[in-house]
Every structure is written in structure tokens, then in C-alpha cells.
């Protein structure tokens, strides 16, 4: 999927999501992709985020935790 793919997905403003599974799709996703996800207003009602098999760095955790959405 990569950063560019994740950024494009969230730039398209998907419908409000309650569950988002990224587990095995995060190959090549770096900090830029995670930051794009954290800025996405469509994730305001998110109740479940699957990041299994994903390396959580301090910067990634911070981006998700500090998301206004």
C-alpha cells in the first residue's frame, strides 16, 4: 500500500468509518502515511483500528494518539 496509497485513500475522504483494518496492508507505510490517517476526518467515529503486524514507532503512536479525530 505504501505512504502514497494511504495518503490517496484518505485524501479521497472515504465515508465515515467505524472499523478500519490495515493489518497486513501496511507494507511500505511510513510516518507520512500514518500522519495522513491521523488527519482524516472520516475516522472521527472510528471504534476499532487494526494495526496488527505493524511496527509502532513513537512518532506513529503520537500521531494517532494526538489525532483530533
Amino acid at each position: 500500500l505504501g505512504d502514497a496509497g494511504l495518503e490517496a485513500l484518505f485524501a479521497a475522504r472515504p465515508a465515515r468509518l467505524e472499523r478500519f483494518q490495515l493489518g497486513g496492508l501496511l507494507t511500505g507505510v511510513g510516518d507520512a502515511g500514518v500522519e495522513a490517517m491521523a488527519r482524516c476526518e472520516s475516522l472521527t467515529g472510528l471504534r476499532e483500528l487494526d494495526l496488527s503486524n505493524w511496527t509502532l514507532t513513537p512518532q506513529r503512536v503520537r500521531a494517532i494518539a494526538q489525532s483530533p479525530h
Side-chain angles (χ1 to χ4, degrees):
L1 186 63
D3 281 339
L6 203 53
E7 288 173 342
L9 172 69
F10 292 119
R13 303 184 74 139
R16 298 228 181 252
L17 303 171
E18 291 185 11
R19 184 174 189 223
F20 195 54
Q21 292 184 293
L22 288 171
L25 299 175
L26 288 175
T27 304
V29 172
D31 295 337
V34 175
E35 289 168 5
M37 179 178 67
R39 290 188 305 267
C40 183
E41 292 179 14
S42 297
L43 301 181
T44 299
L46 193 67
R47 300 290 178 246
E48 183 178 337
L49 178 62
D50 177 2
L51 299 174
S52 57
N53 301 316
W54 188 48
T55 302
L56 292 172
T57 65
Q59 185 170 346
R60 293 173 184 182
V61 171
R62 195 169 18 261
I64 294 168
Q66 294 177 347
S67 171
H69 310 295

